[in-house]
Amino acid sequence: MKINPVTLPVKDRFALPDGMIYLDGNSLGPLPRHVDGILSSMVTDQWGKHLIKGWNQDDWMGQPMRVGNRIGRLVGAPRDSITLGDTLSIKVFQALASALHMRPERTVILSDSGNFPSDLYMAEGLIKHLDKGHELRLVSPEAVESSLSDDVAVVMLTQVDYRSGRMHDMQKITQLAQQAGAVMIWDLAHSAGAVPVDLASSGCEFAVGCTYKYLNGGPGAPAFVYVRPDLIPNLSPVLSGWLGHAAPFAFETSYRPAADIERMRVGTPPVLQLTALEAAMDVWDDMDMLALREASIHLQEVFIAEVEASCPELVLASPRNFAERGSQVSFAFEHGYAAMQALIAQDVIGDFRAPNIMRFGFTPLYIDEEDVRRSVEILADIVNNRLWDNPEFKKTRRVT
Ligand SMILES: *Cc1c(COP(=O)(O)O)cnc(C)c1O
């Protein structure tokens, strides 16, 4: 597709509340303005009037593949190599189980200590369930390359660290993992829609990712899974649900996987969520990921310089070299939780990750340099004047 890049930001595409500076698109993307209308007409006209006919008439059944192809453009995936459904934890499980199947003689799943806990927990659960002596080996992010021994079946990494924003070199690690005979799985939760990704040229076997973060699909939007096209025909799906069957409506008593990526589907797709996500993907139609990346780095650099100049107590917890960061910047601060609550109370929204990390996501779609400077002014006021030191900001909530 030929793209005429737009000028960033494109704030008018989003329904952000007046006065809010939203630095948390890495956790939950905001509502694209037009999604509301599309979603409510889907509910009223499709669900309301077509009822079950909608599966054919409105092609609800084709949504996972349709939306998968639109995500594919952003992450460099060939056509029909991505499908959607379920949560990211489930897609991690599916990819990992299929990957282990490809290396029956090896027992180690290699990951790093910065990986998101759910990915690690899913690996632990799968290992226990398989009961074949597999081991989850965690090393520091810097030690992944030197830990590629010949017992490693699968390397499973999240490209951009959810806490620090540190970014792995996807091309290089994939190549080294494959040279060592391992299967490569990338989790793109903090990459898709944030940084340019080229799955096809990386050659990795599997990738999974999130759509409610940088892709703005809304809370609970389903995850995606990518399988390298040449592997699909022999891929063995462990969650063998009826919608991954070659002929779901033949209602055979025994499972036969679909010939294509649809074999990674499990059950009924979340149509309302996929409708919201499909509409949200319109935001990306004229977006050039290299231009977006450049704008993101600029915002991050301004933020780091301003925070370091005005908040001496905060310590950068992200790589200083922008090439090693995704689209977020983290600072460590002893009173980070309370400071973040104080910041949120002034409508600058970031988030907190235990034990002491204040996390800020930079999405050039709706953040500009003026927002960055303003947010640092407020942050500096909170930190330097101890405005965080207030019992109201120290109450722990269920979601941080
Ligand atoms: C956000 C995130 C998840 C969340 O998984 P869900 O099952 O969708 O809740 C998992 N892994 C990583 C790396 C994430 O960043």
Side-chain angles (χ1 to χ4, degrees):
M1 197 195 313
K2 179 96 182 73
I3 298 170
N4 294 313
V6 287
T7 308
L8 293 168
V10 285
K11 292 191 186 204
D12 57 339
R13 296 187 189 176
F14 293 88
L16 279 162
D18 276 346
M20 179 184 284
I21 301 177
Y22 194 68
L23 304 178
D24 214 359
N26 50 310
S27 201
L28 175 70
L31 173 68
R33 202 180 284 284
H34 68 292
V35 166
D36 191 357
I38 291 176
L39 195 54
S40 52
S41 87
M42 183 273 159
V43 169
T44 312
D45 301 330
Q46 296 186 14
W47 180 16
K49 299 193 178 121
H50 303 162
L51 286 102
I52 199 162
K53 292 183 290 181
W55 288 109
N56 288 318
Q57 195 170 336
D58 304 304
D59 199 17
W60 296 340
M61 204 45 99
Q63 261 180 338
M65 189 92 120
R66 244 183 6 249
V67 180
N69 281 329
R70 294 184 72 178
I71 293 172
R73 186 183 77 75
L74 301 185
V75 295
R79 267 196 87 69
D80 300 347
S81 59
I82 290 182
T83 190
L84 286 100
D86 319 296
T87 70
L88 180 48
S89 305
I90 302 287
K91 288 319 190 202
V92 166
F93 185 90
Q94 278 184 295
L96 187 56
S98 293
L100 287 177
H101 244 273
M102 292 164 60
R103 293 292 181 275
E105 71 290 358
R106 296 183 174 210
T107 53
V108 172
I109 300 166
L110 180 67
S111 191
D112 72 46
S113 50
N115 204 347
F116 190 75
S118 199
D119 297 36
L120 304 177
Y121 301 162
M122 294 310 280
E124 276 184 34
L126 178 60
I127 288 170
K128 211 163 159 189
H129 173 71
L130 289 173
D131 199 18
K132 283 191 190 156
H134 288 96
E135 171 202 342
L136 175 61
R137 189 174 292 165
L138 290 186
V139 299
S140 73
E142 298 73 29
V144 170
E145 292 173 21
S146 59
S147 304
L148 291 165
S149 46
D150 62 8
D151 52 355
V152 175
V154 179
V155 181
M156 177 183 82
L157 296 171
T158 297
Q159 188 193 12
V160 177
D161 186 306
Y162 74 103
R163 218 190 264 127
S164 66
R166 177 207 35 76
M167 183 162 66
H168 278 301
D169 183 336
M170 191 165 158
Q171 308 280 334
K172 183 170 167 217
I173 293 183
T174 302
Q175 202 173 29
L176 292 173
Q178 292 175 341
Q179 276 166 12
V183 175
M184 187 73 227
I185 302 176
W186 285 106
D187 189 329
L188 304 177
H190 296 276
S191 311
V195 296
V197 175
D198 194 344
L199 284 175
S201 83
S202 86
C204 71
E205 284 85 353
F206 297 92
V208 293
C210 198
T211 65
Y212 53 79
K213 293 172 178 157
Y214 291 98
L215 298 180
N216 314 308
F224 67 87
V225 57
Y226 159 84
V227 181
R228 205 176 68 198
D230 61 298
L231 302 172
I232 295 173
N234 294 314
L235 187 78
S236 138
V238 284
L239 300 180
S240 40
W242 72 306
L243 289 184
H245 193 279
F249 286 87
F251 296 107
E252 296 167 10
T253 50
S254 187
Y255 181 77
R256 282 190 295 127
D260 55 14
I261 187 67
E262 304 244 295
R263 68 175 58 192
M264 290 303 256
R265 289 175 67 165
V266 183
T268 303
V271 178
L272 297 183
Q273 292 276 194
L274 278 165
T275 300
L277 174 60
E278 187 167 14
M281 290 308 295
D282 291 351
V283 165
W284 299 95
D285 282 346
D286 52 3
M287 211 54 69
D288 172 17
M289 289 307 291
L290 289 172
L292 182 103
R293 171 71 172 156
E294 223 170 273
S296 154
I297 289 169
H298 175 69
L299 297 177
Q300 295 175 53
E301 294 289 288
V302 171
F303 183 76
I304 293 172
E306 294 286 308
V307 171
E308 290 190 326
S310 59
C311 310
E313 284 179 88
L314 270 57
V315 177
L316 183 65
S318 297
R320 189 163 292 281
N321 175 2
F322 62 78
E324 294 166 22
R325 289 195 306 265
S327 204
Q328 70 183 62
V329 173
S330 299
F331 276 91
F333 178 44
E334 188 189 346
H335 308 288
Y337 181 78
M340 184 53 76
Q341 299 312 307
L343 201 56
I344 292 170
Q346 296 202 46
D347 248 2
V348 178
I349 317 289
D351 61 20
F352 173 80
R353 288 292 175 264
N356 63 349
I357 297 293
M358 300 180 77
R359 190 171 74 149
F360 303 91
F362 294 90
T363 308
L365 297 178
Y366 48 83
I367 297 294
D368 59 23
E369 193 174 321
E370 173 60 29
D371 296 324
V372 171
R373 292 184 190 280
R374 177 85 193 116
S375 65
V376 180
E377 272 169 32
I378 298 173
L379 177 63
D381 183 36
I382 289 169
V383 172
N384 299 328
N385 299 315
R386 294 180 67 92
L387 302 184
W388 53 264
D389 196 2
N390 174 335
E392 190 195 328
F393 299 138
K394 295 179 185 172
K395 276 184 251 158
T396 313
R397 294 166 178 244
R398 184 161 177 179
V399 175
T400 64

